[in-house]
């Protein structure tokens, strides 16, 4: 098992936060306006809005990231978003560690639920979300063209 540390985001991880997400997004889809909103300005659009970001480090190298964003939907407290893991580190449980850290943070913040948007082509991600306790829901309009599945975790 790799020696992985999950740490709080600081501005020194800004480029890694964007690069790790942009890599998977562009592999399967295209960058959209909401991607740029969060990835280009994480401090202003996530942290300063009551959100949270964690980074997975292998040594000093960022190999994974994940964000908790205050939800724009009235029925959800937060959204788990912008989870990306370097291809060289995928399949080693890093996504689970990141997701668990974000879920724990949401609990600490008093959240009742967390929302996720994804796409069914991302099978490993959907399996991860289910492992974290998320279940499929319907009826939420998405700002993402690529979103075709949504999930909720009731805390």
């Amino acid at each position: 098992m790799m020696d992985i540390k999950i740490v709080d985001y600081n501005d020194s991880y800004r480029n890694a936060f964007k690069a790790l997400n942009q890599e998977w997004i562009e592999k399967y889809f295209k960058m959209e306006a909401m991607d740029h909103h969060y990835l280009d300005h994480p401090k202003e659009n996530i942290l300063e809005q009551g959100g949270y970001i964690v980074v997975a480090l292998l040594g000093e190298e960022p190999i994974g990231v994940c964000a908790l964003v205050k939800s724009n939907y009235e029925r959800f407290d937060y959204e788990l978003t912008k989870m990306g893991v370097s291809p060289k580190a995928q399949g080693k449980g890093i996504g689970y560690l990141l997701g668990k850290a974000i879920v724990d943070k949401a609990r600490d913040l008093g959240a009742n639920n967390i929302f996720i948007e994804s796409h069914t082509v991302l099978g490993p991600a959907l399996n991860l979300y289910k492992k974290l306790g998320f279940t499929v829901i319907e009826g939420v309009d998405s700002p993402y063209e690529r979103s075709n599945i949504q999930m909720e975790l009731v805390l």
Side-chain angles (χ1 to χ4, degrees), residues 116-130:
I116 292 178
E117 296 196 72
S118 193
H119 193 284
T120 50
V121 74
L122 302 173
L126 297 179
N127 289 335
L128 167 63
Y129 303 147
K130 289 175 184 174

Side-chain angles (χ1 to χ4, degrees), residues 3-139:
D3 186 24
I4 304 299
K5 288 186 297 186
I6 305 296
V7 300
D8 292 346
Y9 173 92
N10 66 55
D11 206 42
S12 70
Y13 301 123
R14 182 178 177 180
N15 291 338
F17 180 66
K18 182 173 183 176
L20 287 164
N21 276 287
Q22 190 167 350
E23 184 173 24
W24 76 262
I25 293 168
E26 291 180 345
K27 178 178 179 180
Y28 295 99
F29 310 103
K30 65 178 182 177
M31 292 284 284
E32 298 183 38
M34 287 300 290
D35 297 317
H36 290 290
H37 175 78
Y38 290 129
L39 298 177
D40 293 345
H41 306 284
K43 182 178 178 187
E44 297 85 350
N45 294 326
I46 299 174
L47 301 175
E48 291 178 358
Q49 303 305 316
Y52 188 70
I53 303 171
V54 292
V55 180
L57 298 177
L58 176 59
E60 297 301 313
E61 179 186 1
I63 58 167
V65 292
C66 189
L68 182 69
V69 176
K70 290 284 279 182
S71 179
N72 292 326
Y73 301 108
E74 190 174 302
R75 72 186 250 202
F76 306 108
D77 294 321
Y78 288 93
E79 180 178 352
L80 186 155
T81 190
K82 303 302 172 235
M83 179 186 282
V85 176
S86 170
K88 68 182 178 184
Q90 290 175 358
K92 302 190 183 329
I94 294 161
Y96 181 80
L97 294 174
L98 289 164
K100 185 171 178 341
I102 287 295
V103 168
D104 290 346
K105 183 62 175 182
R107 277 193 183 98
D108 291 347
L109 293 170
N112 294 309
N113 55 30
I114 306 172
F115 174 72
I116 292 178
E117 296 196 72
S118 193
H119 193 284
T120 50
V121 74
L122 302 173
L126 297 179
N127 289 335
L128 167 63
Y129 303 147
K130 289 175 184 174
K131 186 175 179 181
L132 288 167
F134 285 84
T135 57
V136 175
I137 59 169
E138 294 182 4

